[in-house]
Amino acid sequence: MQNLIDPAILFFIFGVLAGTVKSNLEIPPAISRFLSLYLLMALGLKGGFALSQSGLTANVGISLAAAVGLAIVIPLIGYTILRRFVSGFDAAAVAATYGSVSAVTFVTAVQFLENQDIAYGGHMAAAMALMESPAIILAVVFANSLRQKAAKGAVASVDGTPAPKNGVSVGKILHESFTDGAQLLLLGAMAIGMITGDEGKSAMQPFSVDLFKGMLAFFLLDMGLMAARNLPQVKGKSPVLVAYAIVGPMVHATMALGLAFLLNLSAGDGALLMVLAASASYIAVPAVLRYALPEANPSLYFGLSLGITFPLNIVFGIPIYVAVAQGVLM
């Protein structure tokens, strides 16, 4: 319950309530975009400063490898299960959404750990960046496979040439994933933090530390408004999909906990790995899927992730994952 009296979480809940009563309160898109970039930059700097002290150790490599492994396994499992209940394209889109990560959920979890004085590795910010792309690539592979099967079954055109295949290039998706502005800002800030070390940390203290809590609260207010306005999209959806949006993250977090236990990760790193595995993307993946998988229904994957999973993780999931990680990994 301590999480519920945190100002940032209360602003999120306030945003949900304001959106539910259809208030005209809103954060201009440009300001919302700035807040998002600020949080990523501050998070990258924090991670870089921490890495400048700890260095790139074997444990860091193991944690990053575990994160990438989860980012591949989770969408594969999700697609296999969901294809039994929805179309292949919708299954690929939802699996990609839940196989990727939410930066805001991760940032909120980092703040929660700091409030509880629980140590964590700065490299976990890099883990977040690495976990964003594999699910998108897999979704494109799934979609291209479905299109090829459809093309083979299509009737040939009048002149006898095969029907065209409207696949999306995996190379193009890779390029856009790794050159995305938010991704580059996070990794660039981390590199700058590593290079500048303690001197950079002191210089950036007013920006990356003192302002962080307030900026996070403001951004979570906006996220609360968005969550409330996207919740109606979930109405009428299959109970199986709604159950997946609730139970799936818990299963994914359990997978991450088991992996953290086997790899002997710290409680802080294990908790963040659980948060990453349990989160679902509502910005990067939907933006790519709109043109990479136009056959999928955006209200399905966007509504589930932002309307159900994101609020549950922010309000209840993070403190539960941290408590479980402390009990199992310490």
Side-chain angles (χ1 to χ4, degrees):
M1 293 299 295
Q2 186 176 357
N3 191 45
L4 296 180
I5 60 174
D6 182 279
I9 303 303
L10 287 176
F11 268 107
F12 174 78
I13 295 173
F14 170 68
V16 172
L17 293 175
T20 301
V21 300
K22 302 187 185 305
S23 167
N24 63 354
L25 175 64
E26 65 176 353
I27 309 299
I31 294 179
S32 179
R33 176 64 174 168
F34 165 75
L35 291 171
S36 175
L37 293 176
Y38 164 81
L39 291 174
L40 289 172
M41 182 176 177
L43 180 65
L45 284 171
K46 285 184 178 183
F49 296 145
L51 279 174
S52 70
Q53 294 180 338
S54 65
L56 296 173
T57 64
N59 287 335
V60 170
I62 290 172
S63 298
L64 296 180
V68 174
L70 284 170
I72 295 172
V73 172
I74 288 174
L76 285 174
I77 294 175
Y79 179 70
T80 302
I81 294 173
L82 292 170
R83 264 202 88 177
R84 301 177 183 179
F85 305 99
V86 296
S87 72
F89 292 108
D90 282 336
V94 174
T97 301
Y98 281 81
S100 190
V101 295
S102 162
V104 179
T105 306
F106 179 80
V107 170
T108 307
V110 166
Q111 185 65 46
F112 183 84
L113 290 178
E114 292 180 353
N115 290 342
Q116 301 294 316
D117 293 323
I118 300 173
Y120 64 91
H123 62 280
M124 293 306 295
M128 181 191 73
L130 291 174
M131 289 182 74
E132 193 164 84
S133 300
I136 300 176
I137 297 168
L138 285 172
V140 172
V141 171
F142 294 148
N144 285 346
S145 176
L146 291 170
R147 294 187 186 107
Q148 289 174 6
K149 289 180 181 178
K152 288 179 181 178
V155 179
S157 60
V158 176
D159 61 1
T161 57
K165 300 177 182 179
N166 299 317
V168 178
S169 167
V170 174
K172 181 179 179 181
I173 296 297
L174 274 171
H175 177 267
E176 294 191 1
S177 297
F178 288 106
T179 58
D180 175 72
Q183 289 271 64
L184 281 180
L185 178 60
L186 174 68
L187 296 175
M190 186 177 296
I192 291 170
M194 289 182 64
I195 293 170
T196 56
D198 289 338
E199 292 184 4
K201 184 177 181 179
S202 298
M204 297 299 290
Q205 173 86 15
F207 175 81
S208 61
V209 178
D210 296 344
L211 290 177
F212 189 85
K213 185 77 172 184
M215 292 290 199
L216 176 60
F218 202 8
F219 191 64
L220 284 178
L221 168 63
D222 187 36
M223 289 297 97
L225 292 167
M226 287 183 62
R229 290 164 185 167
N230 280 276
L231 187 57
Q233 297 185 28
V234 181
K235 293 181 179 179
K237 303 301 181 187
S238 167
V240 173
L241 291 172
V242 175
Y244 182 81
I246 298 172
V247 178
M250 292 188 287
V251 174
H252 302 160
T254 303
M255 293 168 56
L257 177 65
L259 196 55
F261 180 79
L262 291 175
L263 297 176
N264 198 30
L265 300 186
S266 69
D269 289 355
L272 289 179
L273 191 64
M274 292 174 70
V275 168
L276 287 170
S279 67
S281 176
Y282 57 86
I283 297 177
V285 172
V288 174
L289 294 183
R290 281 184 180 275
Y291 74 86
L293 273 78
E295 302 92 339
N297 180 5
S299 68
L300 188 63
Y301 53 82
F302 191 74
L304 291 174
S305 64
L306 189 54
I308 298 179
T309 304
F310 180 73
L312 288 177
N313 274 333
I314 291 294
V315 179
F316 302 109
I318 290 173
I320 291 174
Y321 303 145
V322 172
V324 171
Q326 284 187 293
V328 174
L329 302 178
M330 288 187 70

